[in-house]
Amino acid sequence: MQAIQHTAKTLARGVALLLCLGALAAPATTFAETETTLTPFEASYTASMEKGISLNGSAKRTLTPQDNDVWLYRTDVSSFIANIDESLELKWENNRVVPLRYRYRLSGFLVKNREQSIDFDWDAGVATGKYRGKPFRLELQEGALDPLGFQLQLRHDISAGKRDMSYQIIDRGSYDNDRFAVIDEEPLKTSRGTTTTVKAEKVRGEGAKRQTLMWFAPDEDFLLVRLLQVEPDGSKYELKLKQAARGD
């Protein structure tokens, strides 16, 4: 039972990471200084884990306009052992995500329920929230992001031609500095045939045993078409795009 619970927790964490990186929004551009706008979309992904047994999950990711130039970015994850509801209200200003209200809830069969909330008060310069029921308050740094909004920013920055990116992300009551880098271009076989992709990775410290690789398709508005994560114990998570539709 302990081994099953460990696998369940690992899958939940992996599904959350893999599925939340599937951003599709601003039109592709090769000039970072060119102003872009967001485009509504709906995309679905499949995720799998291989660790002696196969466990599968699925997710729907949507980006929809609200009132007063606010957008709602949402992920709904469903799997045998865990469900994840994650959402962000944001504004898009000068090619940057400006987070306003972030909510996260994990629930499931073999995992402990977990919640996180973050509210961004840019006029007051503070972020307040709760993680596992404990409140926190942080001074907002310029360009601060949340655990969901940075993924939208990453996709945009790669489409804009950037090759090394770092983000200050508020998560679990403190700041994390996450870095990503484009490392290669390579062909990738997909359900729609072979496509040229830009391959990127999450940069970790020297000696880190966890690896996260992402493939974005320039011919498909830099859509994330595959993501692979390898855990220190050899567990592998893989994300694959199932289908996507853009709004007007």
Side-chain angles (χ1 to χ4, degrees), residues 115-119 128-136 172-173:
E115 296 185 9
Q116 180 174 197
S117 65
I118 310 174
D119 291 290
T128 57
K130 287 185 178 181
Y131 176 66
R132 292 185 174 180
K134 296 182 179 180
F136 64 84
R172 304 178 184 183

Side-chain angles (χ1 to χ4, degrees), residues 30-95:
T30 55
F31 301 97
E33 68 272 13
T34 300
E35 183 69 21
T36 62
T37 59
L38 296 182
T39 300
F41 81 90
E42 180 176 312
S44 61
Y45 289 85
T46 59
S48 62
M49 171 186 173
E50 296 294 335
K51 186 183 178 183
I53 59 175
S54 296
L55 295 172
N56 299 311
S58 62
K60 183 168 80 170
R61 164 64 59 83
T62 59
L63 179 67
T64 55
Q66 310 296 297
D67 295 330
N68 301 319
D69 297 322
V70 173
W71 290 80
L72 177 62
Y73 195 32
R74 185 177 182 86
T75 297
D76 295 298
V77 178
S78 177
S79 70
F80 173 69
I81 60 165
N83 296 311
I84 298 172
D85 298 313
E86 190 173 24
S87 66
L88 171 67
E89 293 179 6
L90 68 107
K91 287 192 173 184
W92 182 253
E93 298 177 351
N94 300 318
N95 293 338

Side-chain angles (χ1 to χ4, degrees), residues 5 20 86 89 130 165 167 183 222 232 241:
Q5 290 178 332
C20 72
E86 190 173 24
E89 293 179 6
K130 287 185 178 181
M165 297 137 289
Y167 306 111
I183 57 176
F222 284 84
L241 176 68

Side-chain angles (χ1 to χ4, degrees), residues 89-215:
E89 293 179 6
L90 68 107
K91 287 192 173 184
W92 182 253
E93 298 177 351
N94 300 318
N95 293 338
R96 298 289 304 177
V97 170
V98 181
L100 302 175
R101 182 179 185 271
Y102 171 81
R103 295 293 184 270
Y104 173 91
R105 185 173 189 272
L106 167 69
S107 60
F109 174 51
L110 292 173
V111 297
K112 291 183 179 179
N113 292 351
R114 186 173 301 173
E115 296 185 9
Q116 180 174 197
S117 65
I118 310 174
D119 291 290
F120 294 78
D121 187 337
W122 291 98
D123 291 333
V126 297
T128 57
K130 287 185 178 181
Y131 176 66
R132 292 185 174 180
K134 296 182 179 180
F136 64 84
R137 179 185 177 92
L138 294 173
E139 181 179 346
L140 279 173
Q141 300 178 10
E142 183 177 358
L145 293 167
D146 66 283
L148 189 58
F150 93 87
Q151 301 145 17
L152 185 61
Q153 190 67 53
L154 172 66
R155 197 223 62 91
H156 168 77
D157 289 343
I158 290 178
S159 74
K162 295 183 180 180
R163 292 298 177 261
D164 195 309
M165 297 137 289
S166 295
Y167 306 111
Q168 291 293 327
I169 302 164
I170 296 177
D171 191 18
R172 304 178 184 183
S174 62
Y175 277 97
D176 290 333
N177 185 6
D178 285 352
R179 181 186 168 201
F180 297 85
V182 171
I183 57 176
D184 200 2
E185 291 185 5
E186 67 179 46
L188 183 69
K189 291 184 179 180
T190 70
S191 60
R192 297 170 299 283
T194 301
T195 184
T196 299
T197 64
V198 175
K199 185 178 180 181
E201 69 173 345
K202 181 172 182 178
V203 180
R204 305 182 189 275
E206 185 177 353
K209 296 181 179 180
R210 180 177 291 115
Q211 184 181 38
T212 305
L213 298 171
M214 296 156 281
W215 289 259

